[in-house]
Coordinates of all heavy atoms in Angstrom, one line a residue:
A36 N 104.2 42.5 25.4 CA 102.8 42.9 25.2 C 102.5 43.0 23.7 O 103.4 43.1 22.9 CB 102.7 44.3 25.8
T37 N 101.2 42.9 23.4 CA 100.7 43.1 22.0 C 99.7 44.3 22.1 O 98.9 44.4 22.9 CB 100.0 41.8 21.6 OG1 100.9 40.8 21.5 CG2 99.4 42.0 20.2
K38 N 99.9 45.1 21.1 CA 99.1 46.3 21.0 C 98.0 46.1 19.9 O 98.4 45.7 18.8 CB 99.9 47.5 20.6 CG 100.4 48.4 21.7 CD 101.5 49.3 21.2 CE 101.0 50.4 20.3 NZ 102.1 51.4 20.1
L39 N 96.8 46.4 20.2 CA 95.7 46.3 19.1 C 95.1 47.6 18.9 O 94.8 48.3 19.9 CB 94.6 45.3 19.6 CG 95.1 43.9 20.0 CD1 93.9 43.2 20.6 CD2 95.6 43.1 18.8
A40 N 94.8 48.0 17.7 CA 94.1 49.2 17.4 C 92.6 49.0 17.7 O 92.1 48.0 17.2 CB 94.3 49.7 16.0
S41 N 92.0 49.8 18.6 CA 90.6 49.5 18.9 C 89.8 50.8 18.8 O 90.4 51.9 18.6 CB 90.5 48.9 20.3 OG 91.4 49.6 21.2
T42 N 88.5 50.7 19.0 CA 87.6 51.9 18.9 C 86.7 51.8 20.1 O 86.0 50.8 20.3 CB 86.8 51.8 17.6 OG1 87.7 51.7 16.5 CG2 86.0 53.1 17.4
G43 N 86.6 53.0 20.8 CA 85.6 53.0 21.9 C 84.2 53.0 21.4 O 83.9 53.7 20.4
G44 N 83.3 52.3 22.1 CA 81.9 52.1 21.7 C 81.2 53.4 21.9 O 80.3 53.7 21.1
F45 N 81.5 54.3 22.8 CA 80.8 55.5 23.1 C 81.3 56.6 22.3 O 80.5 57.3 21.5 CB 80.9 55.8 24.6 CG 80.1 57.0 25.0 CD1 78.7 57.0 25.0 CD2 80.7 58.2 25.4 CE1 77.9 58.1 25.4 CE2 79.9 59.3 25.8 CZ 78.5 59.2 25.8
L46 N 82.6 56.9 22.3 CA 83.1 58.1 21.6 C 83.3 57.7 20.1 O 83.5 58.6 19.3 CB 84.5 58.5 22.2 CG 84.4 59.1 23.6 CD1 85.8 59.5 24.0 CD2 83.5 60.3 23.6
K47 N 83.4 56.5 19.8 CA 83.7 56.0 18.4 C 85.0 56.6 17.9 O 85.2 56.9 16.8 CB 82.5 56.3 17.5 CG 81.3 55.6 17.9 CD 80.1 55.9 17.0 CE 78.9 55.1 17.4 NZ 78.5 55.2 18.8
A48 N 85.9 56.8 18.9 CA 87.3 57.3 18.6 C 88.3 56.2 18.8 O 88.0 55.3 19.6 CB 87.6 58.5 19.5
G49 N 89.4 56.3 18.1 CA 90.4 55.3 18.3 C 91.0 55.2 19.7 O 91.2 56.2 20.3
N50 N 91.2 54.0 20.2 CA 92.0 53.9 21.4 C 92.9 52.6 21.2 O 92.9 52.1 20.1 CB 91.1 53.8 22.7 CG 90.0 52.8 22.6 OD1 90.1 51.8 21.9 ND2 89.0 53.1 23.4
T51 N 93.7 52.3 22.2 CA 94.6 51.2 22.0 C 94.4 50.2 23.1 O 94.2 50.5 24.3 CB 96.1 51.7 22.1 OG1 96.3 52.7 21.2 CG2 97.1 50.6 21.9
T52 N 94.3 48.9 22.7 CA 94.2 47.8 23.7 C 95.4 47.0 23.7 O 96.0 46.6 22.7 CB 93.0 46.9 23.2 OG1 91.8 47.7 23.2 CG2 92.8 45.8 24.2
F53 N 96.0 46.9 25.0 CA 97.2 46.1 25.2 C 96.8 44.7 25.7 O 95.9 44.6 26.6 CB 98.1 46.8 26.3 CG 99.0 47.8 25.7 CD1 98.4 49.1 25.4 CD2 100.3 47.6 25.5 CE1 99.3 50.1 24.9 CE2 101.1 48.6 25.0 CZ 100.6 49.8 24.7
M54 N 97.4 43.7 25.2 CA 97.3 42.3 25.8 C 98.7 42.0 26.4 O 99.7 42.1 25.7 CB 97.0 41.3 24.7 CG 95.6 41.4 24.1 SD 95.2 39.9 23.2 CE 96.6 39.7 22.1
I55 N 98.7 41.8 27.7 CA 100.0 41.5 28.4 C 99.8 40.2 29.2 O 99.1 40.2 30.1 CB 100.3 42.7 29.3 CG1 100.1 44.1 28.6 CG2 101.7 42.6 29.9 CD1 99.9 45.2 29.6
G56 N 100.6 39.2 28.8 CA 100.6 38.0 29.5 C 101.7 38.0 30.6 O 102.8 38.3 30.3
V57 N 101.3 37.7 31.8 CA 102.3 37.8 32.9 C 102.0 36.7 34.0 O 100.9 36.1 34.1 CB 102.2 39.1 33.7 CG1 102.6 40.3 32.8 CG2 100.8 39.4 34.2
Q58 N 103.0 36.4 34.8 CA 102.9 35.5 35.9 C 102.0 36.2 37.0 O 102.0 37.4 37.0 CB 104.2 35.1 36.5 CG 105.1 34.3 35.5 CD 104.4 33.1 35.0 OE1 103.7 32.4 35.7 NE2 104.6 32.8 33.7
N59 N 101.3 35.4 37.8 CA 100.4 36.0 38.8 C 101.1 37.0 39.6 O 100.5 38.1 39.9 CB 99.8 34.9 39.7 CG 98.9 33.9 38.9 OD1 98.7 34.2 37.7 ND2 98.5 32.9 39.6
E60 N 102.3 36.8 40.0 CA 103.0 37.7 41.0 C 103.4 39.0 40.3 O 103.9 39.9 41.0 CB 104.1 37.0 41.7 CG 105.2 36.4 40.8 CD 104.9 35.0 40.2 OE1 103.8 34.6 40.3 OE2 105.9 34.4 39.7
E61 N 103.3 39.0 39.0 CA 103.8 40.2 38.2 C 102.6 41.2 37.9 O 102.9 42.3 37.5 CB 104.4 39.8 36.9 CG 105.7 39.1 37.1 CD 106.3 38.5 35.8 OE1 105.5 38.2 34.9 OE2 107.5 38.5 35.7
V62 N 101.4 40.8 38.2 CA 100.2 41.6 37.9 C 100.3 43.0 38.5 O 100.1 44.0 37.8 CB 98.9 40.8 38.3 CG1 97.7 41.8 38.2 CG2 98.7 39.6 37.4
E63 N 100.6 43.0 39.8 CA 100.6 44.3 40.5 C 101.7 45.3 39.9 O 101.4 46.5 39.7 CB 100.9 44.1 42.0 CG 99.7 43.6 42.8 CD 98.4 44.4 42.5 OE1 98.5 45.7 42.5 OE2 97.3 43.8 42.3
R64 N 102.8 44.7 39.5 CA 103.9 45.5 38.9 C 103.4 46.1 37.6 O 103.6 47.3 37.3 CB 105.1 44.7 38.7 CG 106.2 45.0 39.7 CD 107.5 44.2 39.4 NE 108.4 44.9 38.5 CZ 109.2 44.4 37.7 NH1 109.3 43.0 37.6 NH2 110.1 45.1 36.9
V65 N 102.7 45.3 36.8 CA 102.2 45.8 35.5 C 101.1 46.8 35.7 O 101.1 47.9 35.0 CB 101.7 44.6 34.6 CG1 101.0 45.1 33.4 CG2 102.9 43.7 34.2
L66 N 100.3 46.6 36.7 CA 99.2 47.6 37.0 C 99.9 49.0 37.4 O 99.4 50.0 37.0 CB 98.3 47.1 38.1 CG 97.4 45.9 37.7 CD1 96.5 45.6 38.9 CD2 96.5 46.2 36.5
E67 N 100.9 48.9 38.1 CA 101.6 50.1 38.5 C 102.2 50.8 37.3 O 102.1 52.1 37.2 CB 102.8 49.8 39.5 CG 102.4 49.6 40.9 CD 101.6 50.7 41.5 OE1 101.9 51.9 41.3 OE2 100.5 50.4 42.1
I68 N 102.8 50.1 36.4 CA 103.3 50.7 35.1 C 102.2 51.3 34.3 O 102.4 52.4 33.8 CB 104.1 49.6 34.3 CG1 105.3 49.1 35.1 CG2 104.5 50.1 33.0 CD1 106.0 47.8 34.5
I69 N 101.1 50.6 34.2 CA 100.0 51.2 33.5 C 99.5 52.5 34.2 O 99.3 53.5 33.5 CB 98.8 50.2 33.4 CG1 99.2 49.0 32.6 CG2 97.6 50.9 32.8 CD1 98.2 47.8 32.6
K70 N 99.4 52.5 35.5 CA 98.9 53.7 36.2 C 99.9 54.9 36.0 O 99.5 56.0 35.8 CB 98.9 53.4 37.7 CG 97.5 52.9 38.1 CD 97.4 52.8 39.6 CE 97.0 51.5 40.1 NZ 97.2 51.2 41.5
E71 N 101.2 54.6 36.0 CA 102.2 55.6 35.9 C 102.3 56.2 34.5 O 102.7 57.4 34.3 CB 103.6 55.0 36.1 CG 103.9 54.8 37.6 CD 105.1 53.9 37.8 OE1 105.9 53.7 36.9 OE2 105.3 53.5 39.0
N72 N 101.8 55.5 33.5 CA 102.0 55.9 32.1 C 100.7 56.3 31.4 O 100.8 56.7 30.2 CB 102.8 54.9 31.3 CG 104.2 54.8 31.7 OD1 105.0 55.6 31.4 ND2 104.5 53.8 32.6

Side-chain angles (χ1 to χ4, degrees):
T37 297
K38 265 166 69 170
L39 307 170
S41 45
T42 305
F45 184 69
L46 295 180
K47 297 177 176 53
N50 53 28
T51 302
T52 300
F53 277 76
M54 291 196 305
I55 312 160
V57 292
Q58 296 306 321
N59 292 357
E60 60 275 14
E61 294 172 328
V62 168
E63 285 307 318
R64 256 184 89 207
V65 171
L66 292 180
E67 281 305 317
I68 295 171
I69 293 172
K70 271 189 233 166
E71 281 164 15
N72 289 281

